[in-house]
Amino acid sequence: MAKSIEDGEQPARVEGEDEKIQPETRRSGISTEGHDAEKGPGSGQYAQIDPAIASRIAANVDDFMTLVNEANEANERERDMKLSHAFKVYPKAIAWSMILSSCLIMEGYDTAVVGSYISYPPFRDKFGIPAPNGEHQIPASWQNGISGATNVGEIIGLQIAGILCERWGYRYTLLSALVAVVAFIFFPFFANTLAVFLVGELFQGMAWGVFQTMTVAYAAEVCPVPLRHYLTTYVNLCWIIGQFISSGMLVGLVNRQDEWGYKIPFAVQWVWPIPIAIGTYLAPESPWWCVRHNRKEQAEASLKRLARSSGFSQRDADAAMALMIYTDEMEKQVSEGTTYWDCFKGVDLRRTEIVCFTWLAQTMSGTAIGGLSSYFYQQAGISDADSFKLGWGQSGINFVGTVATWFILNRVGRKTLVFWGMIVMFILLLITGFMGIHNPPSTAEAWTAGTMVILLSATANFSIGPVVYTIVSEIPSTRLRAKSIILARNAYNAINIAFVNVVSYRQLSPIEWNWGPKAAFFWAGTNIIFTTWIFFRLPETKGRTYAELDILFENKVPARKFASTKIDTLTQGTEVAQKEQAELIVSNTESRTVEG
């Protein structure tokens, strides 16, 4: 990953400078004159692999020339692939990824149920205490504790996933979590106290932590570049589908006053694991995982199972294998380790910063209000029945928002969509806050605030909500992808435990701070802080293969230049390494001839 070369007007040469310029041009391995002639002055920046790294790769493989040329062929095939061709050749990859991502339906369903239970009449009557207004309320300390237990469970589950996936692969790690969650559902279903309910959420959170990492990593590794944003954002869509089913269930049972009013929604969770587990068992393992563990035959078999044979020839399979091996070797030469500590070394530190802060931006953007929407609506003065109906409608709108992302994300890019989504959310939060100036708000103000929260949630699920899954799966190196996603999601969980849950529940609770809609002002402040970070630090990864992203990061290309920096071919920068290996082969052949 070598030095990047700026195109532009060549300065006039001064006598005596030729000796400095020529060696530098030879080291870079890029013909700037060719680029200038083709692209014109000031057209942008070029990057390539470091020749020294290419030489080390060549020393590690038998036929470097064939490897790099086949890798370049696969790289250009992916980069230039039309979307229609990708859908035609990779329907099986899409199907397998969707099956594994369905695990997140369970998480979306249960987190929506638990988030709504604090405002759900049967649950409040069973576990709540009388509030000044005469209604039963779940104390804010228990609300924080239950949400915190879920997040702690997810942190534990994520760390377990990082260990297990290295040994077992993505599929068997997911299968173990699916089996465990069947048992964990018994805790909240039979809970007679909030303490037992809390323990159940802790254990279920462990399974969800596994789902959060493995599904995203698998989706990112089984499809070509044109399909990557569809399958990674589909992970978010599964979460929304779970919320939608949950909201519909709660609307249907809101008038039921006995304990089955809150037990039935938990019992429904036993429907998911068995069919998802069967699909997960039958799915092919990630070919990237197989390459990283030197299981090349299994990797090739997985590639063929992910594509239609009519559109994926043996030559395509060989080239795809070469690209994965070349990318893996390139990353090993930069950072050989695959531990959590390696995520904080060298160029991987920057990549870790990006994935962690992007996921932090999602939870600090103001989505906390949307996640407690039914409770927010009630505290704004809307009836229980109308609150749950609004929550159900909000889930439907979120679904539409995520699907709409599919049609625009590859046009405008990841960074642009996230940045402007944050700006719109900031404006909506300000409007929501102003609706709470009068205490209590009028009916019109309450419904306006509720409408703003729906629009806020819809905007989040059109921008940073789904796009964060694409960004955190694209930014890390392939060898550290799972661990980087785990660190990012744990940063998200940690900030929720230590800050978001503590603050948001107290802001809205009538027996605590009782801010009502004015809480939106607070989240507008956190939103603008992370919007600023996105503007300066988030790079654009649209249309890049993993090999190209490795080169860009190793070249330390600034975030603002990621989109404009060009990588013509993967062979650039490898010329010296190819020549050295060819000379070595000739020398060895001549030696054997002389000896013979």
Side-chain angles (χ1 to χ4, degrees):
M1 281 189 276
K3 303 175 169 77
S4 29
I5 294 182
E6 297 273 1
D7 276 340
E9 295 181 5
Q10 299 294 325
R13 291 192 178 183
V14 181
E15 232 181 288
E17 286 194 343
D18 287 341
E19 293 81 8
K20 298 177 184 176
I21 294 171
Q22 289 171 0
E24 188 64 32
T25 304
R26 283 197 299 271
R27 282 197 299 272
S28 71
I30 297 179
S31 170
T32 55
E33 292 178 7
H35 285 314
D36 287 341
E38 182 183 351
K39 306 290 184 183
S43 62
Q45 180 173 330
Y46 286 82
Q48 64 173 37
I49 188 172
D50 187 334
I53 290 176
S55 294
R56 294 202 295 272
I57 296 173
N60 262 7
V61 298
D62 293 331
D63 189 350
F64 179 69
M65 188 179 299
T66 301
L67 177 71
V68 73
N69 281 285
E70 286 187 346
N72 184 63
E73 178 185 329
N75 192 72
E76 293 189 354
R77 176 178 176 269
E78 275 206 37
R79 190 169 59 183
D80 300 335
M81 187 182 294
K82 300 294 184 185
L83 181 61
S84 57
H85 182 72
F87 276 116
K88 181 180 178 181
V89 176
Y90 293 97
K92 291 190 284 185
I94 296 170
W96 290 124
S97 178
M98 290 176 70
I99 289 170
L100 268 66
S101 296
S102 299
C103 293
L104 267 297
I105 293 177
M106 287 187 289
E107 187 200 357
Y109 178 91
D110 193 80
T111 52
V113 167
V114 174
S116 298
Y117 268 5
I118 60 174
S119 58
Y120 200 54
F123 190 82
R124 286 188 324 206
D125 293 340
K126 172 74 175 178
F127 297 106
I129 61 174
N133 60 6
E135 295 182 351
H136 282 74
Q137 296 285 342
I138 305 299
S141 58
W142 277 106
Q143 295 178 26
N144 294 340
I146 291 168
S147 296
T150 302
N151 293 137
V152 169
E154 289 178 354
I155 289 174
I156 296 170
L158 284 160
Q159 295 304 125
I160 292 172
I163 297 169
L164 295 184
C165 76
E166 284 297 314
R167 298 180 181 180
W168 297 353
Y170 298 152
R171 293 164 52 247
Y172 286 109
T173 303
L174 277 172
L175 281 170
S176 65
L178 286 165
V179 171
V181 81
V182 172
F184 296 157
I185 294 169
F186 281 95
F187 282 93
F189 182 80
F190 288 106
N192 289 318
T193 65
L194 287 174
V196 175
F197 191 84
L198 182 149
V199 171
E201 291 307 300
L202 172 70
F203 282 120
Q204 287 193 97
M206 292 168 63
W208 299 335
V210 176
F211 299 157
Q212 290 167 356
T213 310
M214 298 298 99
T215 53
V216 180
Y218 187 85
E221 294 188 357
V222 298
C223 63
V225 170
L227 295 176
R228 202 159 61 202
H229 75 280
Y230 288 94
L231 296 185
T232 51
T233 55
Y234 177 76
V235 173
N236 185 72
L237 189 64
C238 287
W239 207 78
I240 293 170
I241 291 170
Q243 288 184 318
F244 184 79
I245 296 171
S246 166
S247 298
M249 183 71 64
L250 294 175
V251 168
L253 297 170
V254 69
N255 294 320
R256 185 161 186 161
Q257 298 302 314
D258 62 1
E259 64 179 9
W260 289 101
Y262 68 86
K263 282 193 172 185
I264 289 174
F266 275 111
V268 168
Q269 291 183 88
W270 277 309
V271 172
W272 316 114
I274 294 175
I276 296 174
I278 293 171
T280 301
Y281 177 77
L282 296 174
E285 186 53 83
S286 160
W288 285 92
W289 183 89
C290 296
V291 166
R292 290 194 294 271
H293 291 79
N294 203 30
R295 301 183 182 182
K296 294 178 183 176
E297 290 182 3
Q298 185 183 354
E300 185 173 338
S302 291
L303 282 173
K304 292 177 178 178
R305 286 190 63 195
L306 292 167
R308 277 183 174 169
S309 56
S310 58
F312 192 74
S313 64
Q314 183 60 47
R315 177 169 177 171
D316 292 331
D318 292 340
M321 283 293 299
L323 178 59
M324 289 190 292
I325 293 169
Y326 182 67
T327 304
D328 187 61
E329 289 290 338
M330 186 163 48
E331 291 177 2
K332 281 195 286 190
Q333 297 307 321
V334 175
S335 176
E336 190 167 353
T338 56
T339 66
Y340 286 108
W341 181 242
D342 291 301
C343 294
F344 298 96
K345 293 180 179 178
V347 295
D348 289 308
L349 174 61
R350 180 187 176 194
R351 300 171 98 154
T352 302
E353 175 215 333
I354 292 168
V355 294
C356 288
F357 272 76
T358 303
W359 229 324
L360 289 177
Q362 186 196 54
T363 194
M364 299 294 283
S365 64
T367 54
I369 290 178
L372 299 173
S373 56
S374 296
Y375 193 47
F376 177 88
Y377 299 146
Q378 289 177 354
Q379 304 315 312
I382 297 172
S383 69
D384 289 350
D386 286 339
S387 294
F388 284 104
K389 288 175 183 175
L390 280 173
W392 197 14
Q394 176 182 320
S395 298
I397 294 172
N398 292 346
F399 182 97
V400 173
T402 300
V403 172
T405 304
W406 293 347
F407 300 98
I408 194 171
L409 187 56
N410 253 20
R411 293 178 181 271
V412 302
R414 285 79 163 128
K415 179 175 183 175
T416 302
L417 189 58
V418 168
F419 176 76
W420 286 107
M422 294 283 284
I423 293 293
V424 172
M425 291 169 70
F426 173 76
I427 295 170
L428 293 172
L429 286 165
L430 290 180
I431 296 172
T432 304
F434 281 118
M435 293 302 105
I437 296 295
H438 296 117
N439 192 19
S442 67
T443 302
E445 288 172 333
W447 278 93
T448 300
T451 302
M452 291 302 104
V453 171
I454 291 175
L455 292 175
L456 175 75
S457 187
T459 303
N461 282 285
F462 177 66
S463 54
I464 194 166
V467 180
V468 69
Y469 290 96
T470 302
I471 293 171
V472 301
S473 64
E474 289 180 333
I475 291 292
S477 66
T478 62
R479 293 175 61 78
L480 293 172
R481 178 176 290 117
K483 287 185 169 60
S484 297
I485 294 173
I486 288 168
L487 287 171
R489 188 67 186 188
N490 272 343
Y492 170 94
N493 289 326
I495 198 71
N496 280 338
I497 295 170
F499 182 74
V500 176
N501 293 340
V502 174
V503 171
S504 59
Y505 284 116
R506 281 174 166 75
Q507 287 172 339
L508 299 180
S509 175
I511 57 176
E512 295 287 343
W513 301 347
N514 196 27
W515 287 7
K518 292 192 292 291
F521 284 133
F522 177 87
W523 297 108
T526 60
N527 175 294
I528 203 65
I529 292 171
F530 280 89
T531 301
T532 304
W533 177 88
I534 287 167
F535 181 79
F536 288 106
R537 296 291 292 167
L538 182 64
E540 179 54 68
T541 56
K542 180 184 74 171
R544 298 291 192 183
T545 65
Y546 297 130
E548 291 174 339
L549 289 170
D550 285 342
I551 292 171
L552 291 171
F553 276 109
E554 184 59 26
N555 274 273
K556 298 180 174 60
V557 175
R560 68 183 184 279
K561 292 186 176 180
F562 249 62
S564 61
T565 300
K566 303 172 182 65
I567 301 173
D568 283 346
T569 69
L570 296 186
T571 58
Q572 287 179 338
T574 67
E575 297 87 351
V576 173
Q578 292 188 53
K579 183 180 178 182
E580 287 174 348
Q581 191 177 67
E583 289 173 349
L584 182 62
I585 292 170
V586 171
S587 175
N588 290 340
T589 303
E590 289 176 349
S591 297
R592 285 195 295 269
T593 303
V594 170
E595 290 172 4

